[in-house]
Amino acid sequence: MDTEIQGDDFEYKSGYLKEDFLLFHIKDKVNKEFDFHYHDFNKIIIFLSGKVTYLIEGKAYYLKPWDILLVNNHDLHKPIIDISEPYERIIIWINLKFLEAHNYDKCDLQTCFNLVNEKRINLIRLSNDAENQLRYLISMLEASLKSVEFGSKLLSKTIFIQLIIYLNRLYIGENYLKDSKALKYDPQIDNILKFINENLNKKLSIEELAQKFYLSRYYLMHKFKEETGYTIHSYINQKKLMLAAEKIREGQEINKVVYECGFTDYSAFLRAFKKMFKKSPRNLLDEE
């Protein structure tokens, strides 16, 4: 794997996670503004200390120590960091295939991430008891990952699954948000984002969105950029291309994917795909 530390996050050059999961414990002071970015894997961010606001899909989360953010693959996100204090966090990258391999009857380990998409709340804010349990699991996981004793790799996977089960229980139990001051967003833009992500197989023009949500074209474009950091056209295009890449990795026929992701012109799709991923759709599977 080829990675670079980029302050809050890691730039994953290939964009594709081959390991079951990776954990990074980072503490630093980085004087840098970060761009919105996404991953092809799910991510857990455990905020430990500092002054950080995290932006995820049009929502701003004001974090407290031991807050947890669940970030789905393809969620556009970035931190806004106050460098007056060191920023400490734990970041865990998760290979969805690993979770799928450990699903059992009535126990889908991706449930919490699926519910994030449904409820559109990424934050889990813990009670004191829940925080103590999380601290225990994280300390056990970090210790096992550093260990070279017999069975340490298997033990790490076992503790990681325990952690995922615990986070699922917290989210299913609706412990995902208790403080309204922790979250700021525009409900109207949130509904538009939800509509876009549920209809990526359609053309989705600015005019149609403005008409559907009873907004002027200018106001929609201005408010969307203000709340998300993206123009509507750029957001829709990137989301469609992310979906197309996912379908191609799953083995679907490229011509069919182009149609299913709402593109009407293959040449335009190909140019946009190469610009975003720096490779053609047919070469995308080379990273597998």
Side-chain angles (χ1 to χ4, degrees), residues 13-27:
K13 290 184 178 178
S14 68
Y16 195 78
L17 180 63
K18 297 181 176 64
E19 293 82 357
D20 294 330
F21 68 94
L22 291 172
L23 183 148
F24 309 95
H25 191 146
I26 312 162
K27 185 176 183 179

Side-chain angles (χ1 to χ4, degrees), residues 56-257:
I56 307 176
E57 292 286 330
K59 290 185 170 68
Y61 294 96
Y62 303 96
L63 302 180
K64 292 184 177 181
W66 291 96
D67 276 353
I68 303 164
L69 290 171
L70 303 178
V71 185
N72 271 294
N73 64 327
H74 302 174
D75 278 354
L76 295 167
H77 59 282
K78 76 170 183 176
I80 299 175
I81 304 167
D82 182 338
I83 63 168
S84 64
E85 296 182 12
Y87 172 29
E88 184 176 8
R89 65 279 190 201
I90 293 169
I91 297 173
I92 304 175
W93 293 349
I94 306 169
N95 190 325
L96 295 181
K97 291 182 179 178
F98 177 73
L99 295 188
E100 290 171 2
H102 291 83
N103 286 342
Y104 294 92
D105 183 39
K106 297 182 181 179
C107 182
D108 183 348
L109 296 179
Q110 297 181 57
T111 297
C112 58
F113 290 102
N114 294 334
L115 287 174
V116 164
N117 277 336
E118 178 184 325
K119 297 178 181 294
R120 301 187 63 77
I121 297 293
N122 300 80
L123 176 67
I124 299 176
R125 178 155 287 177
L126 304 174
S127 65
N128 289 336
D129 289 343
E131 180 184 321
N132 290 334
Q133 178 65 14
L134 178 65
R135 285 175 180 265
Y136 172 74
L137 288 171
I138 289 295
S139 65
M140 290 284 289
L141 181 57
E142 289 190 295
S144 67
L145 288 169
K146 294 174 183 177
S147 175
V148 293
E149 293 185 63
F150 173 81
S152 58
K153 187 173 182 179
L154 180 58
L155 180 60
S156 297
K157 292 184 179 183
T158 302
I159 298 170
F160 173 71
I161 291 173
Q162 283 184 262
L163 174 63
I164 294 297
I165 290 172
Y166 184 60
L167 294 181
N168 270 283
R169 288 179 176 179
L170 288 172
Y171 202 95
I172 291 169
E174 298 194 347
N175 294 303
Y176 47 81
L177 185 62
K178 293 182 178 179
D179 184 356
S180 60
K181 294 179 181 178
L183 172 62
K184 180 183 177 183
Y185 70 102
D186 184 296
Q188 195 169 41
I189 296 300
D190 189 53
N191 287 332
I192 293 169
L193 287 166
K194 183 178 180 181
F195 179 81
I196 290 171
N197 282 283
E198 290 176 350
N199 293 274
L200 291 174
N201 61 323
K202 299 176 182 176
K203 191 175 180 182
L204 295 175
S205 70
I206 295 173
E207 289 75 15
E208 288 169 339
L209 289 171
Q211 184 177 8
K212 178 175 178 60
F213 290 93
Y214 304 102
L215 299 171
S216 72
R217 187 177 185 274
Y218 172 78
Y219 179 83
L220 172 59
M221 294 171 65
H222 172 75
K223 193 65 176 176
F224 192 94
K225 178 68 182 293
E226 181 181 60
E227 294 294 324
T228 69
Y230 270 76
T231 65
I232 295 179
H233 175 76
S234 179
Y235 180 87
I236 291 172
N237 199 48
Q238 285 205 32
K239 285 287 184 166
K240 285 177 175 287
L241 291 169
M242 292 178 207
L243 179 62
E246 185 176 288
K247 288 178 176 291
I248 291 168
R249 287 194 182 101
E250 291 172 352
Q252 295 190 33
E253 185 181 343
I254 295 174
N255 287 335
K256 185 178 179 181
V257 167

